[in-house]
Amino acid sequence: GAVHERGGGEEGEGARSLEERTGSSLSAALPRTGANVIRTQLLAAILGATVHAMCCALAAHPQPLNDERLEHVHEDAQMLVDFFVAEATDGTAQGLPLQIVKRALAPLRCLEPMLRLSTADLVRTWVECEQEASIAAALGVSRADHELHTGPSSSSGAVSPRDDLINNLTNDAWLIAAPLRTTLGVVLASRSCREAAAWRRANRAAVREAEARFVDPNPQ
């Protein structure tokens, strides 16, 4: 099932979709002091590791997730947003800026369409789409989320301390964001049906590589 199961969702802001909630504009500037920058980096690292752990647990599910279970995933993601942004009553972020939280949740948004698909559709995507861009297109993954998997960005010219820290934190997120094809292989290998078993037998090396890289996408 989902990482955390609950009863029916709450009304109001908490019931908004993950994309709506994380698509808001950046609500506050990053802290400027050295101590607060370190705190921000630590919070971002904890968030990234939490999202990665969620992806590992969800990708190992033996069956496609139905709408109810996917709603639980959205609720879990919303809890992360609320906790790590920690909005004050005036709407300012006391934890991480919403822009950073949105980028950290990209691996989860990339995984979600795979969790919905039947095993036959996953196999078809694996066979027909070898490149990351084609997998993203087939799954409906947004360009912004797909680009998180293409490698770290570099800043050219003068940038503000806020933008420089956001770039660094985004690059840190890339270090634990597995490529789409790797994620697809792990989801397929975890399915319990006969079709998935046949795919595993025909792709043993790919399964081993995908499982190793999914746990540690960019080993140093």
Side-chain angles (χ1 to χ4, degrees):
V3 174
H4 181 70
E5 296 203 10
R6 290 177 295 280
E10 298 179 0
E11 297 297 326
E13 275 203 2
R16 288 193 294 170
S17 70
L18 172 62
E19 188 59 35
E20 290 173 335
R21 185 69 175 85
T22 60
S24 305
S25 59
L26 185 64
S27 58
L30 286 173
R32 295 181 180 178
T33 65
N36 281 336
V37 168
I38 293 174
R39 173 178 173 274
T40 300
Q41 292 171 326
L42 178 60
L43 284 174
I46 294 171
L47 172 59
T50 303
V51 171
H52 184 55
M54 286 181 65
C55 288
C56 287
L58 290 167
H61 200 274
Q63 298 174 340
L65 297 186
N66 59 28
D67 290 342
E68 181 180 0
R69 290 184 179 273
L70 283 169
E71 182 59 31
H72 292 160
V73 175
H74 292 163
E75 292 171 4
D76 291 335
Q78 180 61 48
M79 289 175 61
L80 292 181
V81 172
D82 293 339
F83 181 82
F84 282 95
V85 173
E87 283 188 358
T89 54
D90 62 358
T92 58
Q94 299 183 94
L96 291 171
L98 200 53
Q99 182 176 349
I100 290 177
V101 177
K102 178 182 177 181
R103 294 185 184 189
L105 290 171
L108 190 57
R109 292 193 296 273
C110 291
L111 173 62
E112 180 183 344
M114 302 183 200
L115 300 176
R116 294 178 180 272
L117 290 179
S118 67
T119 300
D121 287 336
L122 291 176
V123 171
R124 186 179 304 109
T125 302
W126 176 272
V127 172
E128 297 178 356
C129 306
E130 295 188 4
Q131 302 301 318
E132 292 290 289
S134 60
I135 296 174
L139 297 176
V141 172
S142 72
R143 179 177 179 181
D145 288 343
H146 167 238
E147 286 180 346
L148 184 65
H149 296 73
T150 61
S153 60
S154 58
S155 302
S156 58
V159 296
S160 69
R162 181 180 73 87
D163 290 339
D164 185 53
L165 183 53
I166 287 177
N167 286 337
N168 288 337
L169 293 173
T170 299
N171 292 345
D172 289 343
W174 169 78
L175 292 175
I176 56 173
L180 294 177
R181 189 164 174 85
T182 295
T183 305
L184 179 61
V186 170
V187 173
L188 256 176
S190 301
R191 292 289 173 90
S192 59
C193 61
R194 292 181 178 179
E195 192 167 8
W199 178 86
R200 285 194 299 272
R201 289 193 296 270
N203 295 274
R204 295 182 190 278
V207 169
R208 288 194 297 270
E209 180 181 353
E211 290 177 340
R213 191 172 185 185
F214 191 71
V215 173
D216 189 7
N218 293 278
Q220 299 299 312

